[in-house]
Amino acid sequence: MITRFDDGLPRLCEFISEEFGAELLSRSAILRDAGGRLSIVLPERKAESELERLALKLSGALGAYARPDGAIVDSEYPGAQRLLDEAGRRPTTTVGSFSVKLLDRRIVGSDWLRPPAAARGKAPRIVFASLKGGVGRSTALCVAAAHLSRKGRRVLTIDFDLEAPGIGSMLLDVHELPEFGMLDYLVEAGLSNIDDEFITELTGDSFLGAAGARVSVIPAIGRRTLEHPENALAKIARAYLDVPQENDPPKTITDQLADLLARYDSLGAYDVVLIDGRSGLHETTASLVLGIGAEVLLFGLDQPQTYQGYRLLMGQLSQYRADASDDWRDRISFVHAKAADSVEARDDAASKFQALLNPLMLRPQVEGLPKERLTENDFDLDWQDTAEVPEEDLLEGQVLYVLEDTRYRQFDPVADRKMLDARSYSSTFSSLLDYIDSIAIEPSSDDAEDQQA
Amino acid sequence: MNEIDHRAIRRGLAALDASAAHTASGDSRAKVEEIFAPEQHAGALDPNAIIVLGARGAGKSFWAGVLGDDETRNAAAEAYPNLGLDKLIVRFGFTGMANDGSVSRQTIDAQVPRNEETTLAPLLWRCVVLRSLTSALHPKAKPPLISEMMKKYADPEKWESDCEAADRRVAEKGKKVLVIFDALDSIAMDWERLRDLTDALLEVAWSTRGYKAVRLKLFLRPDQMRDLGLRFVELPKLVSGATNLEWDGVDLYGMLFARLGAIEEPTTKRAFLTMLQTEGIKPPPRTLKRLRSWSLSYRRADQRRLFRTMAGEYMGRSHKKGRTYDWPIRHLADGHGEVTPRSFLTLMMEAARFTPVPQDQVISAEGIRHGLREASKVRVNQLDLEFPWIKRVLAPLSGLQVPCNAAQIAARWNETRTIPAIMKRASGGEFLPPFNPKAEGDEDVKLRATLVRIGVLNQRSDDRFDMPDLFRVAARLLKKGGVAPS
């Protein structure tokens, strides 16, 4: 029976819990190296001979997934204490019925290992993300920007899809393109100094702001890259790298983005930031979903592959605990894209999207049937309504939707500006815009419903 | 701008009485200060509307009580001057209560033996109507016994002539006599008898339409009309003219604000007026008639603005969890989408009792959620008074996730021998069984159908069953993901 990736960790946990019990396992540090091989650091001292015996047995159980040397070490091993300390600070990972501390070493993708950041920034940040392209994500962002601008909110939009630039070209015409883009920022942040002048060369103002407050855009690709196309791929290859620091851990792409946002926050020039992500479960998606304390809108069509993909993402998120004062789970919303205009169909899709959040919810344990078997002679019973219904169960989630609208299929706002006219988008995007209003605009009594009354 | 004393309003809200009248007579009948009448409920007061349909808690007994008591009827007459309530003499035909002149169930049982309903029940009801008439004409005299009257009027012609004579005399005085029937589901403990007694009463009510001065008014639940399999041929005509006691969100908030506005305690009163002032809303009027034109009685926009000041805009940080104004209405609805005043008031009062006390608000979103839990418990307990089998039916379902399919529900009932247990107890004559055991079909199907009819379950388009939060919370079922309110 060959051990595969998914078998390794459970087998290691079972092995250790059989040998020493689940309690000791929960205090150990499990290390998975960049190649995927496993080893474990026990939190106490064991006899040399026993460790050797166990290492041999463990290698048999894990096959290729056991680290060739020191698959199992005790607290006396050089560097063991550092690993145990690091593990102690980590959130718990659930493996079957075990709770363990896993140190997952990755060369790329380490931003997925950070617990979600707390809400940050004076100006709310709203991320538009999806697993697949073609779901109307960027279009929705443009509409949201137009809408917020009309309501007098100064909008900063950021194109974080470095490899397939979108909103930069949607919202800026070629002459409005700034010198640099997000790609340049990430490359320069690793090497040269980012000064204020560079920052001013990073944004261009869009025609969208003409009807209201200013709408600025940081495109993925700036004019400089268009002038030197031979460098584009070379920059992309370097954009994702961590930036080593003198005395601190290296800055990941999340840190670099967070720094940039903090910089704009301190300028105070914008009321809301809209960020367009890249499709798929990429490293940059981790930055946007977890790293910057943003409201996250996850777009998807009502299709099996949408739910399948999001289940993987939720599986990753389910290992993070929520904190009552700032519950990151509240900031995740699904957007049912290209929804049919029938309430029934939308409700059906909504319950499928909503079910994706189940792994993030601590399901309350509600006792089922009374212990003793009821018979036809038992009519009177103790009605249990003293137990509180868990709060979780009364929080209604909400699945937003954007209606299918053929007019937006060939959407090019630069060429066809009337598509960003309120009359065009209001019904198609109303569910989404209501939500965005509630995030970015203090409620005022002038909303549409009151107008009608 | 004055500082609003939120805590004073909180105290006033917490001290409201949610148990709006639930009997037509006696100590818990309606009080003047509780009258809040949505326009469409005027039909409940109209002497010419024979049938008034309302779900449990929608206010049937409340209106019966308003009509039956001189003080409250006069207040209603001022608010609804065109209904001629001031010329009304009201008598109770059946209420399930003692000492209000109505006929008791014991008397009905004694005078109409089982299996003789079709012959004797119409006579009984005619005697009840005639006795109300004579008592209206001679309020001082001791009313005759129903048993004696039934002997005397075994000949229908005799009853007709006496009744016509009495009708004329009342009409000459410029008065009308209204005979009210409420709580009719408690006149019998088995389905056939209940159906036959109700049929007979409907027939008598229909036949008295031709009189000048006598009117009957029957307060019924819609499910009573549907479940009983009534046979009275003119039923469709009666039902088409029925008044429905339905409360929409605006009515419920209107009632809440009217109650708050009626509080006389000085600090609360002052705080409430200050809050209205900051929102630019006029103070509550003093009379019932003017209350109807107060903007908080009917203007949703004003209600929402005020409620936002009281409870904040959203049920959480954002629109995602819904608006505080809409959330209570949505979560308190039964399977027919109806919310009763009592559930609504219970939620609001409990929200005001919930701690921690919010900053700069009267109630918090957590308080509102807590209020739903309490309202749910109260509602199940109310339902238990009416359907003593309900807890035995719901208890086996605790922990089940809804929506779920019929088989999952049936399995829980089978494991716990629920249906046999209920039918066994019901056969003792303690209460009406949830369905007619003689009707066609599987028992668990019939039981689910009954639960759907009384609004405890609803069946979705994909045939799965769902339970409204109003019952689900107290019965401790779990809910799979929520759906966006659209």
Side-chain angles (χ1 to χ4, degrees):
Chain A
M1 197 156 85
I2 295 182
T3 303
R4 300 289 177 199
F5 191 98
D6 298 299
D7 310 322
L9 197 51
R11 281 188 195 163
L12 172 67
C13 293
E14 270 156 37
F15 177 86
I16 298 294
S17 104
E18 269 169 39
E19 292 285 344
F20 301 112
E23 194 276 331
L24 185 124
L25 170 66
S26 69
R27 289 187 292 122
S28 307
I30 298 174
L31 193 69
R32 184 158 60 196
D33 69 17
R37 285 185 293 266
L38 294 157
S39 58
I40 184 162
V41 183
L42 302 175
E44 51 200 47
R45 204 169 162 178
K46 299 285 172 201
E48 194 94 16
S49 58
E50 192 183 11
L51 287 174
E52 275 174 29
R53 176 184 67 82
L54 289 170
L56 209 61
K57 248 175 112 175
L58 187 59
S59 297
L62 298 184
Y65 281 90
R67 207 171 125 171
D69 56 324
I72 178 161
V73 300
D74 67 0
S75 54
E76 296 296 300
Y77 192 80
Q81 205 47 55
R82 193 171 44 81
L83 290 170
L84 287 166
D85 291 346
E86 186 188 349
R89 295 190 297 269
R90 272 291 159 83
T92 304
T93 304
T94 308
V95 181
S97 61
F98 305 109
S99 298
V100 297
K101 300 288 191 178
L102 174 68
L103 301 173
D104 202 7
R105 302 292 188 227
R106 303 184 192 177
I107 293 172
V108 291
S110 57
D111 275 342
W112 282 116
L113 301 177
R114 296 182 175 196
R120 271 195 290 213
K122 290 196 289 282
R125 303 160 180 184
I126 306 176
V127 163
F128 292 63
S130 68
L131 289 173
K132 299 167 82 87
V135 296
R137 188 189 69 226
S138 302
T139 303
L141 187 143
C142 294
V143 168
H147 168 83
L148 287 165
S149 156
R150 247 171 235 138
K151 291 209 160 188
R153 298 302 183 282
R154 299 163 302 165
V155 186
L156 173 64
T157 61
I158 299 178
D159 191 348
F160 208 55
D161 188 351
L162 305 184
E163 297 170 35
I167 57 161
S169 56
M170 278 168 111
L171 294 182
L172 298 172
D173 153 332
V174 136
H175 316 292
E176 297 161 339
L177 208 59
E179 200 69 9
F180 301 113
M182 204 63 207
L183 181 60
D184 300 285
Y185 168 77
L186 291 169
V187 171
E188 303 300 333
L191 295 168
S192 65
N193 182 19
I194 302 283
D195 52 11
D196 287 346
E197 192 189 345
F198 180 86
I199 293 286
T200 54
E201 297 287 358
L202 203 52
T203 57
D205 284 348
S206 166
F207 65 90
L208 270 190
R214 190 155 63 116
V215 176
S216 304
V217 184
I218 303 180
I221 304 289
R223 198 198 332 246
R224 197 69 71 88
T225 305
L226 291 182
E227 285 165 4
H228 301 280
E230 69 281 6
N231 288 339
L233 290 177
K235 287 183 189 173
I236 287 173
R238 287 158 182 81
Y240 300 124
L241 292 179
D242 293 355
V243 180
Q245 302 291 301
E246 287 277 323
N247 303 319
D248 295 313
K251 287 202 168 194
T252 64
I253 194 165
T254 296
D255 298 316
Q256 295 168 57
L257 175 63
D259 286 351
L260 182 66
L261 290 170
R263 200 157 181 152
Y264 278 107
D265 241 350
S266 65
L267 291 174
Y270 300 103
D271 302 308
V272 54
V273 185
L274 307 181
I275 308 169
D276 196 18
R278 173 185 163 176
S279 306
L281 297 172
H282 186 253
E283 181 70 351
T284 52
T285 314
S287 308
L288 298 180
V289 172
L290 301 174
I292 53 172
E295 301 289 330
V296 180
L297 299 169
L298 299 170
F299 285 71
L301 306 179
D302 178 18
Q303 293 174 335
Q305 55 269 43
T306 300
Y307 304 116
Q308 196 177 33
Y310 279 127
R311 263 194 289 279
L312 304 179
L313 174 59
M314 295 298 137
Q316 177 66 32
L317 299 184
S318 66
Q319 60 183 304
Y320 302 118
R321 291 277 160 269
D323 154 12
S325 65
D326 175 54
D327 190 338
W328 56 269
R329 296 173 306 179
D330 277 356
R331 294 197 290 272
I332 293 180
S333 309
F334 288 103
V335 184
H336 174 193
K338 300 190 174 172
D341 203 3
S342 109
V343 175
E344 290 260 309
R346 281 209 307 266
D347 279 359
D348 183 52
S351 59
K352 285 187 249 174
F353 277 111
Q354 198 66 37
L356 290 168
L357 295 170
N358 284 347
L360 307 187
M361 300 294 168
L362 292 171
R363 287 317 294 182
Q365 290 302 308
V366 170
E367 270 122 76
L369 297 172
K371 294 272 180 292
E372 70 281 10
R373 276 267 165 259
L374 290 167
T375 72
E376 60 221 68
N377 299 319
D378 302 313
F379 181 80
D380 300 304
L381 40 77
D382 288 333
W383 177 254
Q384 306 170 304
D385 63 1
T386 46
E388 285 294 306
V389 174
E391 190 82 351
E392 292 280 358
D393 206 35
L394 290 180
L395 296 176
E396 66 176 37
Q398 203 196 107
V399 174
L400 309 167
Y401 58 89
V402 172
L403 293 177
E404 169 80 271
D405 186 339
T406 50
R407 296 174 306 162
Y408 286 90
R409 203 164 279 169
Q410 301 295 333
F411 182 59
D412 178 3
V414 175
D416 185 3
R417 298 192 174 185
K418 76 170 186 304
M419 292 317 291
L420 287 174
D421 178 42
R423 279 187 302 278
S424 300
Y425 63 63
S426 58
S427 65
T428 308
F429 292 91
S430 66
S431 148
L432 181 66
L433 295 179
D434 277 350
Y435 181 60
I436 289 195
D437 280 355
S438 72
I439 298 300
I441 296 181
E442 283 295 297
S444 62
S445 51
D446 62 359
D447 50 42
E449 262 184 293
D450 286 350
Q451 297 284 315
Q452 290 159 13
Chain B
M1 185 158 134
N2 277 325
E3 227 8 69
I4 301 172
D5 182 355
H6 292 101
R7 289 187 178 220
I9 299 174
R10 200 176 146 89
R11 280 196 305 276
L13 180 57
L16 288 180
D17 179 7
S19 63
H22 51 270
T23 56
S25 63
D27 288 343
S28 52
R29 67 175 189 277
K31 302 174 186 65
V32 173
E33 63 273 18
E34 289 174 343
I35 300 178
F36 174 82
E39 289 298 304
Q40 65 271 30
H41 289 203
L45 296 169
D46 181 356
N48 294 313
I50 299 179
I51 305 282
V52 181
L53 293 176
R56 160 131 206 121
K60 295 189 300 298
S61 299
F62 179 85
W63 289 121
V66 166
L67 286 166
D69 177 84
D70 291 344
E71 191 193 357
T72 47
R73 189 175 60 252
N74 291 337
E78 259 175 62
Y80 295 93
N82 52 344
L83 295 179
L85 298 180
D86 50 340
K87 300 184 183 60
L88 221 48
I89 303 170
V90 178
R91 290 290 176 267
F92 289 120
F94 183 85
T95 59
M97 302 288 290
N99 302 326
D100 59 4
S102 65
V103 66
S104 67
R105 196 180 110 204
Q106 290 73 15
T107 304
I108 298 173
D109 285 348
Q111 298 309 317
V112 184
R114 286 196 64 129
N115 304 324
E116 296 192 43
E117 292 88 357
T118 39
T119 49
L120 287 175
L123 173 59
L124 168 100
W125 294 126
R126 283 197 204 104
C127 294
V128 169
V129 172
L130 183 53
R131 186 167 74 162
S132 303
L133 262 175
T134 45
S135 124
L137 285 167
H138 312 287
K140 298 274 187 294
K142 191 172 180 298
L145 294 175
I146 291 287
S147 56
E148 288 165 13
M149 287 178 79
M150 283 179 71
K151 289 192 193 88
K152 181 176 170 186
Y153 291 112
D155 172 6
E157 260 185 309
K158 177 107 183 80
W159 178 81
E160 280 162 26
S161 68
D162 280 14
C163 210
E164 279 164 21
D167 180 50
R168 260 198 314 278
R169 288 220 299 286
V170 176
E172 282 159 12
K173 290 178 183 247
K175 296 278 186 193
K176 276 197 171 153
V177 175
L178 184 67
V179 190
I180 290 180
F181 295 84
D182 185 36
L184 285 166
D185 48 351
S186 60
I187 54 179
M189 286 299 138
D190 80 75
W191 285 85
E192 281 84 5
R193 181 171 169 82
L194 183 55
R195 182 196 60 210
D196 292 343
L197 289 171
T198 310
D199 265 333
L201 179 57
L202 290 167
E203 196 184 321
V204 173
W206 184 252
S207 68
T208 51
R209 284 172 314 132
Y211 288 105
K212 290 193 190 62
V214 190
R215 290 289 175 267
L216 270 61
K217 191 180 268 297
L218 281 55
F219 289 92
L220 290 159
R221 286 199 321 267
D223 60 276
Q224 278 173 289
M225 300 294 276
R226 282 190 305 261
D227 286 7
L228 278 174
L230 294 167
R231 297 168 181 181
F232 177 56
V233 287
E234 302 292 3
L235 187 64
K237 291 184 188 165
L238 266 176
V239 172
S240 68
T243 297
N244 282 298
L245 296 179
E246 282 168 7
W247 291 80
D248 66 18
V250 174
D251 298 332
L252 292 162
Y253 276 100
M255 177 190 64
L256 173 71
F257 293 133
R259 292 276 186 105
L260 282 174
I263 293 174
E264 290 297 339
E265 195 278 318
T267 55
T268 303
K269 189 171 178 167
R270 201 166 41 241
F272 188 63
L273 288 174
T274 309
M275 187 166 74
L276 293 181
Q277 205 181 346
T278 51
E279 289 300 330
I281 295 168
K282 288 196 173 71
R286 281 278 149 251
T287 66
L288 204 54
K289 190 173 178 178
R290 304 233 330 267
L291 189 63
R292 289 157 62 202
S293 55
W294 186 38
S295 76
L296 285 177
S297 297
Y298 67 92
R299 275 205 55 160
R300 191 161 178 268
D302 286 6
Q303 293 182 346
R304 273 178 41 167
R305 230 173 46 237
L306 190 63
F307 199 65
R308 179 185 295 155
T309 309
M310 287 173 67
E313 174 79 358
Y314 302 113
M315 287 299 290
R317 259 178 348 99
S318 72
H319 156 85
K320 199 166 153 183
K321 302 245 189 291
R323 287 177 192 269
T324 50
Y325 179 90
D326 303 321
W327 197 92
I329 304 289
R330 228 188 359 261
H331 290 263
L332 288 171
D334 69 5
H336 304 300
E338 292 184 14
V339 182
T340 66
R342 188 184 306 189
S343 295
F344 185 77
L345 282 178
T346 303
L347 181 147
M348 292 298 168
M349 284 163 44
E350 291 293 341
R353 292 171 186 173
F354 182 79
T355 50
V357 180
Q359 287 292 314
D360 305 326
Q361 279 177 201
V362 178
I363 52 178
S364 63
E366 290 71 34
I368 292 174
R369 278 192 283 270
H370 165 78
L372 173 68
R373 291 194 196 109
E374 295 304 311
S376 178
K377 289 176 193 174
V378 168
R379 181 59 178 262
V380 171
N381 286 329
Q382 274 181 291
L383 210 56
D384 186 51
L385 297 175
E386 191 158 4
F387 306 115
W389 42 265
I390 194 77
K391 288 183 173 178
R392 184 63 179 80
V393 167
L394 291 178
L397 306 182
S398 83
L400 200 64
Q401 275 217 334
V402 286
C404 64
N405 54 40
Q408 288 168 284
I409 297 174
R412 290 289 188 97
W413 286 337
N414 288 337
E415 286 161 22
T416 52
R417 308 284 297 145
T418 293
I419 297 177
I422 293 168
M423 298 319 267
K424 188 172 168 181
R425 179 65 67 100
S427 65
E430 267 183 65
F431 56 80
L432 190 69
F435 51 83
N436 187 349
K438 297 186 187 120
E440 286 294 298
D442 291 344
E443 289 188 319
D444 71 286
V445 176
K446 287 193 285 186
L447 182 52
R448 276 192 303 276
T450 297
L451 292 175
V452 169
R453 267 195 308 265
I454 64 176
V456 172
L457 284 179
N458 39 18
Q459 198 161 5
R460 298 156 41 111
S461 55
D462 59 5
D463 281 340
R464 288 188 303 164
F465 288 89
D466 204 349
M467 187 179 287
D469 280 348
L470 177 64
F471 304 108
R472 185 182 65 79
V473 171
R476 303 165 73 235
L477 278 74
L478 301 174
K479 178 88 181 156
K480 289 182 188 152
V483 163
S486 40

